[in-house]
Amino acid sequence: MKIGIVCYPTFGGSGVLATELGKALAQKGHHVHFITYQQPVRLNGFIPNIFYHEVQVATYPLFDYPPYETALSSTLVDVIKNNHLQLLHVHYAIPHASAAYMAKKILEQEGIYIPVITTLHGTDITLVGRDKTYAPVVAFSINQSDAITAVSQNLRDETFNTFKIQKPIEVIHNFVDVERFSRKPIDAFKKLIAPNGERVLLHASNFRKVKRVEDVVQIFHEVNQQIPSKLLFVGDGPERGVAEELCRKLNTCDDVHFVGKQEQMEDILAIADLFLLTSQYESFGLAALEAMAAGVPVVSTNAGGLPEIMVQGVTGYMGNIGDVQTMSHQAIDILQFDERLNEFKKNAAQHAKRFDIHNIVPLYEQLYDEVLSKELVH
Ligand code: GMT
């Protein structure tokens, strides 16, 4: 199959998921064309069957806001036509679903049919998508898609509650390559972070408000008072300053490392004992799943789709949003004794297998086949 994938090329979960999907499809022999404004971060090295097309956004003195969506639609028309793509899979509704719709309509006039699949990832529905500056276009373009998927049951329900959607939404959960994340810790790295055998806690995100990173610092502070620990913050974003400020206030800076955006999550997760995810909302929580695949238990909130991947008291624990006391006790419970920690680690790794790449990617292929066979009927 010749498939076009549109996504955000950054470290965000939707771009990571889309890139991993494209790589997995290419490995299975499909030709995958990524169309985006920058090389996706997880698309490193030469990979057979993968093609990358950069969207060039021409600037002009008149443009205070260069029209990326128009440039994307035009690039899509060009790439679909010249590479004979059979379907387009767009990740994150804004502005990808509406750009895809525009390209589809342009090509229709030339007698070319290109079905569009839209995968909803979270904030495109629950946060920015419902803002009235975007909502009508988001709802319209989702409804115009030939198939719609959501990354969790919770996001599917949120979408139906938020917009008038007239089509079915199929739930296809996020996935992880369990084998890739099953790494042995690099001893020298572990020693560098935790020289005296401290427990290593980890948080990775884009540091947006929705992640409540100050709760991560609070929980770490509570844990560190009882169990000698270190905290690694991976990623960067607008709330990083808030987290740093709180570390200073709590006098815990020496035990907290902000390591910035990192590509080798497998190696970092391999030295971690606990992953913290304190979000106000997570449609799924891919970062938590990657942690579990690496054998790292998770303490998270019970927001959004997190209860769909976590098993309370088995893979970790969930607490209510903002309840740092409960989540601190949960973290201490996991970390206190080696034997208990190892049990949680084993359970997390075991449970992540349900979401293994080999179980989930065929669901997308099946959907592609269904969409293409509908085209033949018409
Ligand atoms: O919130 C992020 O980390 C980024 C965001 C994105 O759109 O790139 O992630 C969303 O999509 C991921 C992949 O489907 C989900 O696993 C995340 O839970 C979701 N984030 C939110 O819903 C806040």
Side-chain angles (χ1 to χ4, degrees):
M1 229 180 269
K2 291 183 173 178
I3 304 156
I5 291 186
V6 179
C7 64
Y8 281 101
T10 50
F11 281 92
S14 62
V16 167
L17 199 277
T19 311
E20 297 297 351
L21 173 63
K23 281 157 64 175
L25 291 167
Q27 213 166 35
K28 292 180 120 184
H30 300 288
H31 284 199
V32 180
H33 294 252
F34 283 93
I35 305 123
T36 182
Y37 59 83
Q38 197 177 283
Q39 179 102 359
V41 286
R42 289 243 180 137
L43 198 64
N44 35 21
F46 175 77
I47 306 168
N49 297 336
I50 295 256
F51 306 86
Y52 167 62
H53 309 267
E54 192 154 302
V55 180
Q56 305 283 345
V57 189
T59 53
Y60 186 67
L62 187 66
F63 297 159
D64 277 342
Y65 304 97
Y68 174 66
E69 190 173 338
T70 306
L72 174 59
S73 296
S74 299
T75 310
L76 287 175
V77 169
D78 181 67
V79 173
I80 292 164
K81 213 159 53 176
N82 291 310
N83 296 280
H84 310 288
L85 300 192
Q86 291 162 280
L87 66 84
L88 193 58
H89 189 173
V90 304
H91 292 260
Y92 205 91
I94 311 168
H96 301 148
S98 45
Y101 171 73
M102 175 67 100
K104 180 183 166 125
K105 284 290 160 193
I106 293 169
L107 288 164
E108 221 169 77
Q109 291 212 318
E110 299 183 30
I112 298 169
Y113 173 72
I114 181 87
V116 173
I117 296 171
T118 299
T119 289
L120 308 172
H121 280 274
T123 47
D124 46 350
I125 300 299
T126 57
L127 214 67
V128 63
R130 64 174 59 179
D131 190 288
K132 73 175 188 190
T133 49
Y134 297 117
V137 175
V138 172
F140 175 81
S141 50
I142 292 174
N143 273 317
Q144 292 299 321
S145 306
D146 296 277
I148 311 160
T149 76
V151 299
S152 64
Q153 188 64 41
N154 173 273
L155 182 59
R156 178 184 176 275
D157 298 345
E158 285 287 333
T159 309
F160 280 126
N161 291 339
T162 309
F163 299 112
K164 257 206 178 99
I165 300 297
Q166 292 129 0
K167 287 187 172 162
I169 300 178
E170 186 172 335
V171 174
I172 303 183
H173 283 125
N174 282 180
F175 59 83
V176 65
D177 184 345
V178 170
E179 201 189 316
R180 192 177 112 203
F181 279 85
S182 314
R183 285 275 175 96
K184 290 240 172 316
I186 301 169
D187 288 340
F189 178 39
K190 176 118 195 182
K191 201 120 195 96
L192 192 74
I193 300 298
N196 302 307
E198 295 92 341
R199 299 290 196 212
V200 177
L201 286 76
L202 178 67
H203 170 82
S205 79
N206 49 22
F207 286 66
R208 299 204 180 275
K209 252 198 161 31
V210 71
K211 305 291 174 183
R212 297 182 63 98
V213 285
E214 65 280 20
D215 290 359
V216 173
V217 179
Q218 292 277 12
I219 295 168
F220 173 73
H221 180 60
E222 294 289 328
V223 172
N224 200 18
Q225 281 176 331
Q226 295 200 30
I227 304 169
S229 304
K230 300 285 179 185
L231 172 63
L232 283 182
F233 266 122
V234 179
D236 214 332
E239 295 295 300
R240 179 190 163 148
V242 175
E244 277 178 328
E245 187 60 40
L246 188 56
C247 288
R248 275 179 224 124
K249 205 170 128 197
L250 296 173
N251 199 19
T252 187
C253 294
D254 287 349
D255 294 322
V256 180
H257 300 272
F258 289 86
V259 297
K261 295 176 183 173
Q262 297 289 330
E263 282 175 32
Q264 293 306 319
M265 274 312 286
E266 308 88 294
D267 292 333
I268 298 173
L269 284 164
I271 66 153
D273 296 303
L274 185 68
F275 190 83
L276 297 174
L277 192 62
T278 51
S279 308
Q280 180 83 25
Y281 181 78
E282 279 305 328
S283 65
F284 181 91
L286 180 58
L289 177 62
E290 291 189 339
M292 283 160 60
V296 181
V298 177
V299 166
S300 76
T301 56
N302 50 16
L306 284 165
E308 292 176 49
I309 58 167
M310 299 272 295
V311 184
Q312 184 77 328
V314 177
T315 60
Y317 288 107
M318 291 171 285
N320 291 332
I321 299 161
D323 186 354
V324 290
Q325 271 315 317
T326 299
M327 287 187 276
S328 304
H329 291 144
Q330 292 170 337
I332 291 165
D333 180 78
I334 294 173
L335 294 168
Q336 212 163 17
F337 303 108
D338 284 349
E339 205 179 320
R340 195 179 298 160
L341 174 60
N342 288 336
E343 190 62 25
F344 272 102
K345 285 186 173 188
K346 207 173 71 205
N347 293 343
Q350 184 60 29
H351 190 67
K353 288 183 186 161
R354 287 184 182 206
F355 302 94
D356 186 56
I357 193 164
H358 300 296
N359 298 332
I360 307 287
V361 171
L363 303 179
Y364 280 113
E365 285 178 292
Q366 213 174 308
L367 180 67
Y368 296 167
D369 282 337
E370 277 166 29
V371 167
L372 288 173
S373 64
K374 271 193 210 142
E375 175 203 356
L376 291 176
V377 172
H378 288 131

